[in-house]
Amino acid sequence: MAAIVKLRAATFIPLVWLDSPREGEENLQFRGDDRDFTPHTVNTGRSRVEQEVVIDFAREEVQTHADTGRSKERIERPDGTTEIHEGKADTSNVTVTDIVWGEGCELLMRAEAANPLVEAAAPVIYETHATVKSDGGIRLAGVHDAFPCFEFYAQTDFKPFSTLYTYDYREVGGSPLDLAGPPECEFDITTPCSPD
């Protein structure tokens, strides 16, 4: 039986700098997260969105953490001048709701956050229904946008993290333009119970 199961979800841009899809005379770039897939980025500022859920079976409690990385915009003008803007997306729409206790714990993890430096920017969105059994078995079923990268991990009783699901937009040719409209990528994964 598992006492504590931790779920981690994050979205990130693996590049150092990402060119803006907007065209103009200026060279406009956004700072990426300069990393690859890993569960060890909480509180480092190296994710666009990060979310952590700790399910404590002994106490029947759920604790949550949500954060967003700092956004940075670099504008290089034809005259050689450079301008930098920074901001941080709001976390009010990075939530855990619909918590139900039974043979395990069911809940809904959801994130919606937009680039704070772009007026009326389309947000990055993911939503997953998580079912975590007391034996450590996990099912995630949800949707996400086709950009940027997405990752979901689990840790049972402080053992090493295991990968539940990853998505790399570079493998399918995704771009920031894919943030417009509803999420189009679906996933449904199940992991067996944790070995004793």
Side-chain angles (χ1 to χ4, degrees), residues 8-190:
R8 281 189 180 165
T11 71
F12 69 96
I13 299 170
L15 307 173
V16 178
W17 289 97
L18 176 70
D19 291 330
S20 170
R22 293 181 285 173
E23 294 184 8
E25 293 182 10
E26 304 168 333
N27 181 22
L28 177 61
Q29 295 181 310
F30 292 99
R31 177 85 176 164
D33 299 300
D34 191 21
R35 72 171 179 93
D36 211 336
F37 293 94
T38 176
H40 306 293
T41 57
V42 171
N43 295 320
T44 65
R46 295 244 177 172
S47 297
R48 296 301 80 215
V49 176
E50 66 182 35
Q51 183 177 40
E52 185 171 84
V53 181
V54 179
I55 301 164
D56 188 331
F57 286 101
R59 298 180 179 181
E60 283 200 359
E61 293 179 353
V62 174
Q63 297 178 26
T64 64
H65 163 78
D67 201 5
T68 56
R70 291 202 61 79
S71 295
K72 184 180 281 189
E73 175 185 61
R74 180 171 67 190
I75 303 168
E76 296 176 345
R77 296 195 168 83
D79 64 5
T81 60
T82 300
E83 189 176 331
I84 301 284
H85 300 131
E86 292 189 43
K88 191 169 172 64
D90 182 25
T91 60
S92 62
N93 289 322
V94 183
T95 60
V96 176
T97 60
D98 303 345
I99 300 170
V100 177
W101 291 93
E103 294 181 15
C105 182
E106 295 182 28
L107 50 85
L108 177 65
M109 298 171 66
R110 188 170 196 289
E112 183 173 334
N115 185 335
L117 303 175
V118 177
E119 187 177 344
V124 59
I125 298 173
Y126 68 77
E127 180 176 292
T128 181
H129 293 272
T131 302
V132 181
K133 300 290 187 180
S134 58
D135 65 7
I138 298 170
R139 180 181 180 202
L140 294 182
V143 295
H144 62 74
D145 286 313
F147 178 89
C149 293
F150 293 80
E151 56 189 359
F152 292 84
Y153 303 98
Q155 181 189 53
T156 302
D157 293 333
F158 308 104
K159 295 174 184 170
F161 279 92
S162 61
T163 301
L164 298 176
Y165 173 79
T166 59
Y167 167 86
D168 190 337
Y169 73 89
R170 297 168 294 182
E171 295 176 357
V172 295
S175 80
L177 297 175
D178 293 319
L179 295 174
E184 58 268 33
C185 300
E186 297 182 5
F187 62 100
D188 190 341
I189 62 98
T190 302

